Amino acid sequence: MSTSTQPTREMTPAYLQQAYQRLIDALPKTGAQAIEWEDLFWRWNDLKCWISGEFSRRHFKEMQDSRDKAAEDAMRFMREQILPLAETSDATLREAFLQSPVRGALESALSQHLFTKLELDQEAFVPDNVALQTQEGEISSQYERVRGGAEVTINGETLTLTRAQAKLTDPDRAVRQAAWEATNAWELDHRAQMHGIYDELVTLRQQMAVNKGEANFVPLGYRRMGRTDYGPAEVRAFRDGIRQHVTPLLKRFREAQARDLGTETVRPWDAAYYPNLSLGPNVVPVENQLAQAQNLFDRLHPTLAGHFKAMVDGGLIDLENRPGKCAGAFATAFEDEGKVVIFCNSTGTDGDVTTLTHEMGHAFQGWESRPIRSVDLRWPTSDACEIHSMGMEFLALKEITAFFSPEDAKRFRRLKLIRTLTLLPYIAVVDAFQHWVYEHPGHSHAEREAAWVEAWDTYNPGIDYAGLEDAKATRWMRQPHIFVMPFYYIDYAIAEVGALQLWRMAEEDHDKAMTAYLELCRIGGTRSVLGVFQAGGLKSPFEPDVFKPLMEAVAAELGV
Ligand SMILES: [Zn+2]
């Protein structure tokens, strides 16, 4: 838990510069005891909490309204004036701790994993890249703003892209097709602009790699994700596991879906619609969702119920979609205030329930990890973080009648497994595409689109894009991670392997799964991803046959 904060003080570069200089001047002299280093570490930790909190607050505000100029400027100030200063000073302090003559004693006192993390951060730090990272953040936020501000018209109704996409599950085929066509037309109108934004980002990242003396961005991309347990070779083998064990099942499923639809093939506007399963556009009215979620968590576990209630009471959940609000959903912490917040875009569909339970999974971990004093150890790497969120999606199934009638609850459960089945291959597409992009600097737009299509066909067959080749080739533009957080995507598949194991555990013994889940939340980021799997009693995602029994269970449930 953070002890000292300066929430009322304005964060200026001059003040921050002074604060860092005081820490650097206070670095222990030769012969100092470990305790002096520790004291300094905690002072540094407080400063990091403040900066992190300030970043999250400004980012949250910016995402809440893409048209809020003041919020945009406040975030730009953070990116341009604060973060570069903090990054450079953090590197100085980090280096001092890594070179400390009493490092062994510090590792025992503060944790060895912390030092592994500091080492990795230091390895990823290149002074020449600080300015490039500022530009990268600016261009990324441009992507968010363009999409957040986008509106399309469907049958005379003007909608955000998020609301338009929600109509892809509408039972009326004409509505689905109109929604798909309108969003696709928007994508194609912005094809050159999206390529342009991505060009700038890819070029910047390639330059960062060159500055580090590396041939391409892949190793730096992995380091930035904090990955210590695996590299591109393990990820390739993991994608192979998806191709071998999930893709064939998906193919069979799409054939069954076409039969249910009464069509020869599954067309893109039908891909997210499953006859007899779709729950309709307003199955969970947004105004009921918080009370229903409270009911769900009350039934699941008192600890979860308490955290949720505190968030609702504290106004820490921004739930509904509205014009100008940026798309997507996330959880984040205001570390200096000891608060966790979530951001959703609820529109009334069953997908909202998935998103809300997902983001609450992150939030539960955030609250449970608060007693971990080092901010660097509170959140694990995202591949482990997503176990909390995706695991909660599965654990929630048991009490999901808090949101749905018993019949709809059965449908929702089935839909959840279908989502897993369709998600894993799609993740492999996004991941394979990104590796290709960064392994081929200087590629053309046509080559880029061809690489996407090839990855799509390899892992994710079964949707008929005949006559709609442009739509297929530009489908990646919809995926924010590709632009904003390179390589952050396979994490979801790695975590889903953990989440599926929690699901199997819960089917046998719900209390046991709940205990394992809370333990995973409590340890936060004190271990690397494989250490987290181990702590939850879960098999490593990189074991060769890990997919087989899990997919057999999914196939049995779905009857395909
Ligand atoms: Zn997540």
Side-chain angles (χ1 to χ4, degrees), residues 224-427:
R224 294 206 316 187
M225 291 304 297
R227 292 173 184 169
T228 52
D229 292 344
Y230 60 92
E234 285 81 3
V235 170
R236 196 179 309 118
F238 181 74
R239 288 200 311 264
D240 276 344
I242 294 178
R243 195 171 46 77
Q244 276 170 30
H245 297 286
V246 191
T247 301
L249 186 57
L250 175 64
K251 235 175 146 176
R252 291 207 299 279
F253 171 77
R254 291 292 187 198
E255 285 158 13
Q257 187 186 7
R259 279 196 298 277
D260 292 347
L261 284 160
T263 53
E264 238 167 73
T265 56
V266 176
R267 300 291 275 164
W269 45 86
D270 292 331
Y273 177 69
Y274 312 101
N276 309 318
L277 290 182
S278 288
L279 301 179
N282 203 31
V283 64
V284 276
V286 178
E287 61 272 24
N288 300 342
Q289 287 182 8
L290 290 180
Q292 290 173 316
Q294 183 68 60
N295 186 8
L296 166 76
F297 297 125
D298 286 349
R299 292 199 224 162
L300 278 181
H301 200 281
T303 304
L304 306 185
H307 290 317
F308 188 75
K309 183 167 189 307
M311 288 182 74
V312 174
D313 292 348
L316 304 178
I317 300 177
D318 183 348
L319 193 66
E320 80 288 352
N321 174 256
R322 49 180 184 266
K325 186 173 176 181
C326 290
F330 60 91
T332 190
F334 303 156
E335 299 289 1
D336 50 352
E337 296 181 74
K339 282 181 186 165
V340 183
V341 294
I342 69 168
F343 178 96
C344 300
N345 265 293
S346 287
T347 57
T349 67
D350 56 290
D352 297 350
V353 176
T354 305
T355 303
L356 183 54
T357 49
H358 179 103
E359 299 310 335
M360 278 311 301
H362 287 307
F364 291 139
Q365 186 251 303
W367 292 111
E368 286 294 301
S369 300
R370 274 174 66 213
I372 298 167
R373 192 171 170 197
S374 166
V375 66
D376 296 317
L377 294 180
R378 275 184 210 156
W379 300 83
T381 44
S382 49
D383 39 23
C385 269
E386 299 298 343
I387 303 176
H388 307 111
S389 54
M390 300 174 101
M392 183 43 64
E393 290 180 41
F394 277 109
L395 294 173
L397 290 177
K398 180 168 176 272
E399 301 292 350
I400 209 67
T401 50
F403 284 97
F404 305 107
S405 69
E407 290 72 38
D408 280 354
K410 276 189 205 138
R411 294 194 182 102
F412 183 80
R413 180 186 166 95
R414 215 176 145 79
L415 284 169
K416 165 73 201 141
L417 293 170
I418 292 172
R419 258 194 294 269
T420 300
L421 175 57
T422 53
L423 181 65
L424 289 169
Y426 175 71
I427 292 172

Side-chain angles (χ1 to χ4, degrees), residues 48-116:
K48 282 194 280 195
C49 284
W50 184 33
I51 295 168
S52 160
E54 197 59 30
F55 178 90
S56 296
R57 273 186 294 276
R58 291 178 190 217
H59 177 241
F60 199 76
K61 192 127 200 290
E62 186 190 32
M63 294 292 283
Q64 284 182 305
D65 188 353
S66 61
R67 299 172 298 197
D68 182 343
K69 279 303 280 178
E72 186 188 324
D73 290 345
M75 188 61 200
R76 184 178 300 116
F77 177 82
M78 188 79 200
R79 256 195 313 269
E80 291 178 355
Q81 308 292 323
I82 301 294
L83 292 186
L85 200 161
E87 270 231 28
T88 309
S89 310
D90 280 336
T92 304
L93 288 162
R94 217 161 35 219
E95 187 61 21
F97 274 87
L98 290 170
Q99 300 303 332
S100 165
V102 292
R103 178 165 162 179
L106 285 175
E107 285 190 13
S108 314
L110 296 171
S111 119
Q112 196 178 5
H113 183 58
L114 173 70
F115 276 79
T116 307

Side-chain angles (χ1 to χ4, degrees), residues 383-384 387 494-499 501 520 523 528-541:
D383 39 23
I387 303 176
I494 291 171
E496 188 76 329
V497 169
Q501 293 182 66
L520 290 176
I523 64 171
S528 66
V529 61
L530 293 184
V532 170
F533 268 82
Q534 213 172 21
L538 309 172
K539 261 191 175 179
S540 160

